[in-house]
Amino acid sequence: MTISKATGEEISEAELPLLKDVVTGAVDFKGRPAVRSKSGCWKSASFIIVAGVAERFAYYGISSNLISYLTKKLGQPTATAAATLNAWYGTSSLLPILGAFVADSFSGRFRTIIVAFLLYILGLSLLSLSASLTSNYSKCKTASENVGCSPPELLNVLFFFSLYLVAFAQGGLSPCSLAFGADQFDEEYEYECKAKSTFFNWWYFFSFGGILLPLLTLNYIQDNVGWELGFGIPAIVMCLALVLFLAGSMTYRFRVNADGRNPFARIYRVFVRAAKNWKAAPVAISIDEEDQQKCAQFRFLDKALLTPDGWIGETICSVEDVECTKAILRVVPVWFSCLGYTIVSAQPSTLFTKQAATIDLHLTSNFQLPAASLQMLFIIATVFIFLPLYDRVFVPIARAITKNPSGISPLQRVGIGLGLNLISIVFTAIIELKHLALAREYGLVDMPDTMIPMSVWWLAPQYVISRVANVFVLVGLQEFFYDEVPNELKSIGLAMYLSIIGVGSLLSSFLISSIQKLTSKNGQSGWFADNLNRAHLDYFYWLLGGLCAAGFIAFIYFAKYYVYKRRMSV
């Protein structure tokens, strides 16, 4: 008999695969050592990508048009509906941290994904039921004014319970499905290491397909056919995606925590022990005791290795525990330095759209595009064209030059994106200056409903550059936060990536509301006046440019001194 290193169970020699075909630290669905030729890689990742696309389809299928449901069906005032949506979006952006914590600490990614699927389906089904019960009330009209009747409070409770159930479900499914997909690639095997980098590219690519489909189809169904069907279709899609996800179970690789201890408990103990020993002299650890890839940052945490007597010996905190904690702390500066980027990335769907609504939107002499659809056009033109070119042309060329399996390192990729993002917002500010100048030149300052004689093609660069920046930054951050956190905390790493986007959106909302209050005092119209010809979006864009520049400089500094888990030049 032989002991499996992955599971600790006894297996016969006949059952033990050839060593070169075994994936270290991974088991199959039955708990046996994972065989490379029969598990993982694209054969497994394809099933998981389907789950990710379905989740994006369901989430945006209800969120993209939710403002209409709140105002038209539930009878909420616009301001109340907007506040309600902001609260829901904010909650949704932070819940992946909770979902990832549960997955990495207790249930594992696979079980968390299944539970999240079931909660998603339940939430969407209850939303469809709520819409069906509410429809009778929204059709009636009051005698005094032509508005819909508000449904009973019980139906409102049912609706918001269902809505937040969906938020909790996506909080588990979003980080865990992406982490579980990346788990299917072995970083120690050259081909799969290259494929993992490609996996993040194609995950981003297909995720946009999951976002565009509801914008093109579900919104029309919800507005013109019925909300029952508009909420019901995502529920059906999630049911089918769950079946497909489970169909791939026999091919999946499941990462094993060799230590067996809760990773969060280990990190907590390091901080507690280091705090208790904070007065002790610095700890000198022999280089032989440390892995060659570990750096000497955050040396104060090395005091967690001290016993009460002041010497290094058997203790509840090992060198592995300390280095695991350091790995989490090392990625935090990168998280903060990218917040400026996420604030800017929140603008295309809001201020960019309002800016576009004031100018000539004719792409040709006979074809005019709605302002809200301009963003969709440039998503298709950049993500669906540029990303395959990046993956199939740029990466192979960069790989041949740098000898890096990913072509360029994740931080190099993020840095390029942050630079493009800065260029994009500077260009946006300059174009807004031209917009205001034309309004003054043609005497249209006090005629906000009159089209400014300015072609829509002036806005093309800011849309295209910002979307190309997204391809670099978002995919780079996905790969960075997955690779650089400890193996037991991959879901948390990707939840940290998702939280940057959510926190950036919340900060954008806070900045806009705060600036408008400050600039609209004493009868002033403010930077965000309804009449954009008298507003000062250009000031706001220059402010964002300053934030982006500061974040970019901070990122360059942190990236310069960052030490990867796997040796890689920055």
Side-chain angles (χ1 to χ4, degrees):
M1 302 299 287
T2 304
I3 302 297
S4 165
K5 292 182 179 180
T7 63
E9 299 176 353
E10 289 188 354
I11 57 176
S12 66
E13 295 290 343
E15 294 176 319
L16 185 65
L18 293 175
L19 183 60
K20 65 178 182 180
D21 203 29
V22 171
V23 181
T24 305
V27 298
D28 64 13
F29 187 73
K30 296 184 177 180
R32 300 171 302 189
V35 180
R36 190 179 311 281
S37 58
K38 297 181 180 180
S39 67
C41 212
W42 289 111
K43 69 171 70 68
S44 301
S46 300
F47 290 103
I48 302 169
I49 287 176
V50 170
V53 172
E55 190 277 326
R56 291 293 83 186
F57 177 85
Y59 182 79
Y60 280 91
I62 64 172
S63 65
S64 60
N65 201 26
L66 201 54
I67 187 72
S68 297
Y69 186 85
L70 293 175
T71 54
K72 295 178 182 178
K73 297 298 181 180
L74 297 189
Q76 290 190 351
T78 300
T80 303
T84 300
L85 276 180
N86 285 335
W88 185 72
Y89 287 141
T91 302
S92 298
S93 68
L94 297 177
L95 280 173
I97 296 290
L98 176 62
F101 172 79
V102 172
D104 288 344
S105 298
F106 306 106
S107 59
R109 291 168 201 134
F110 181 73
R111 292 188 183 91
T112 302
I113 291 172
I114 293 176
V115 172
F117 257 118
L118 295 175
L119 290 177
Y120 233 126
I121 293 168
L122 176 60
L124 291 169
S125 300
L126 290 176
L127 278 176
S128 184
L129 174 63
S130 172
S132 177
L133 296 174
T134 303
S135 61
N136 293 330
Y137 292 91
S138 62
K139 291 177 183 177
C140 73
K141 305 290 182 181
T142 64
S144 59
E145 53 182 326
N146 190 34
V147 295
C149 298
S150 298
E153 188 63 29
L154 185 60
L155 285 184
N156 283 334
V157 171
L158 174 62
F159 171 78
F160 285 107
F161 171 78
S162 308
L163 191 63
Y164 276 88
L165 190 60
V166 168
F168 272 95
Q170 72 82 33
L173 193 52
S174 293
C176 293
S177 57
L178 181 52
F180 191 58
D183 285 346
Q184 306 309 308
F185 300 89
D186 183 9
E187 296 178 357
E188 305 302 323
Y189 191 62
E190 183 178 1
Y191 167 76
E192 293 192 19
C193 184
K194 294 178 180 178
K196 181 172 69 66
S197 182
T198 299
F199 165 78
F200 286 109
N201 291 332
W202 290 107
W203 180 280
Y204 184 78
F205 180 87
F206 285 110
S207 292
F208 262 102
I211 294 171
L212 285 176
L213 279 175
L215 295 177
L216 294 171
T217 58
L218 279 182
N219 289 358
Y220 176 84
I221 292 173
Q222 291 164 350
D223 288 335
N224 298 279
V225 180
W227 287 91
E228 302 92 327
L229 188 60
F231 290 146
I233 290 175
I236 295 171
V237 169
M238 290 298 283
C239 288
L240 295 175
L242 176 58
V243 172
L244 286 174
F245 176 76
L246 292 175
S249 297
M250 300 305 294
T251 71
Y252 295 150
R253 294 173 186 169
F254 300 87
R255 296 293 172 180
V256 177
N257 180 3
D259 184 87
R261 293 182 293 160
N262 187 308
F264 290 96
R266 292 165 57 193
I267 292 172
Y268 170 76
R269 282 195 290 266
V270 168
F271 281 114
V272 171
R273 182 56 66 101
K276 289 182 178 179
N277 296 329
W278 70 277
K279 292 183 178 180
V283 182
I285 304 174
S286 172
I287 190 66
D288 295 334
E289 297 180 15
E290 294 187 288
D291 189 273
Q292 294 180 356
Q293 296 176 340
K294 295 174 181 176
C295 69
Q297 291 176 306
F298 307 110
R299 292 303 301 269
F300 67 91
L301 290 177
D302 293 339
K303 295 180 181 181
L305 300 169
L306 292 170
T307 65
D309 295 327
W311 51 271
I312 302 176
E314 291 297 327
T315 177
I316 59 174
C317 293
S318 65
V319 173
E320 288 281 342
D321 295 338
V322 172
E323 294 304 327
C324 176
T325 307
K326 289 181 180 181
I328 293 294
L329 291 181
R330 282 200 299 269
V331 302
V332 172
V334 174
W335 189 96
F336 276 104
S337 62
C338 290
L339 283 178
Y341 155 78
T342 57
I343 294 174
V344 172
S345 65
Q347 307 314 315
S349 60
T350 53
L351 296 182
F352 283 17
T353 300
K354 287 182 68 67
Q355 185 184 32
T358 64
I359 65 175
D360 183 4
L361 292 172
H362 282 89
L363 295 178
T364 66
S365 58
N366 298 318
F367 179 68
Q368 180 176 349
L369 193 70
S373 300
L374 196 60
Q375 179 185 187
M376 185 186 305
L377 171 67
F378 288 107
I379 287 176
I380 296 172
T382 53
V383 176
F384 284 5
I385 295 175
F386 175 77
L387 198 149
L389 287 175
Y390 173 87
D391 190 71
R392 297 302 178 186
V393 178
F394 177 80
V395 170
I397 294 174
R399 189 179 289 153
I401 297 173
T402 65
K403 308 303 179 183
N404 185 331
S406 300
I408 56 177
S409 71
L411 287 183
Q412 286 173 332
R413 184 167 184 169
V414 174
I416 292 172
L418 294 181
L420 290 173
N421 190 61
L422 176 57
I423 294 172
S424 170
I425 198 63
V426 169
F427 194 93
T428 303
I430 293 172
I431 295 304
E432 180 60 17
L433 285 174
K434 179 176 179 61
H435 165 265
L436 295 175
L438 286 173
R440 290 191 295 268
E441 180 182 345
Y442 287 91
L444 301 175
V445 173
D446 293 315
M447 302 172 67
D449 296 328
T450 303
M451 181 189 72
I452 303 294
M454 180 178 181
S455 172
V456 68
W457 291 109
W458 280 97
L459 301 186
Q462 70 191 53
Y463 275 97
V464 171
I465 296 173
S466 67
R467 290 303 165 184
V468 172
N470 281 359
V471 172
F472 277 97
V473 177
L474 295 182
V475 181
L477 287 176
Q478 286 177 1
E479 188 171 0
F480 173 76
F481 279 103
Y482 177 84
D483 285 345
E484 295 307 305
V485 299
N487 292 333
E488 302 90 342
L489 297 174
K490 299 297 187 184
S491 300
I492 281 290
L494 289 171
M496 290 177 68
Y497 147 74
L498 292 170
S499 69
I500 300 177
I501 302 172
V503 172
S505 297
L506 293 176
L507 287 176
S508 173
S509 178
F510 172 76
L511 274 176
I512 291 173
S513 61
S514 299
I515 290 172
Q516 181 60 15
K517 285 183 179 180
L518 290 173
T519 59
S520 60
K521 293 180 178 179
N522 302 321
Q524 298 295 316
S525 55
W527 288 10
F528 306 100
D530 292 335
N531 179 1
L532 291 188
N533 298 335
R534 285 198 172 276
H536 278 292
L537 294 185
D538 55 326
Y539 292 175
F540 183 62
Y541 292 148
W542 286 120
L543 174 62
L544 293 183
L547 291 176
C548 284
F552 184 54
I553 293 171
F555 175 85
I556 294 298
Y557 174 81
F558 292 129
K560 181 179 180 180
Y561 295 102
Y562 189 84
V563 180
Y564 283 91
K565 283 176 61 181
R566 291 178 290 115
R567 287 293 183 191
M568 191 180 296
S569 63
V570 181

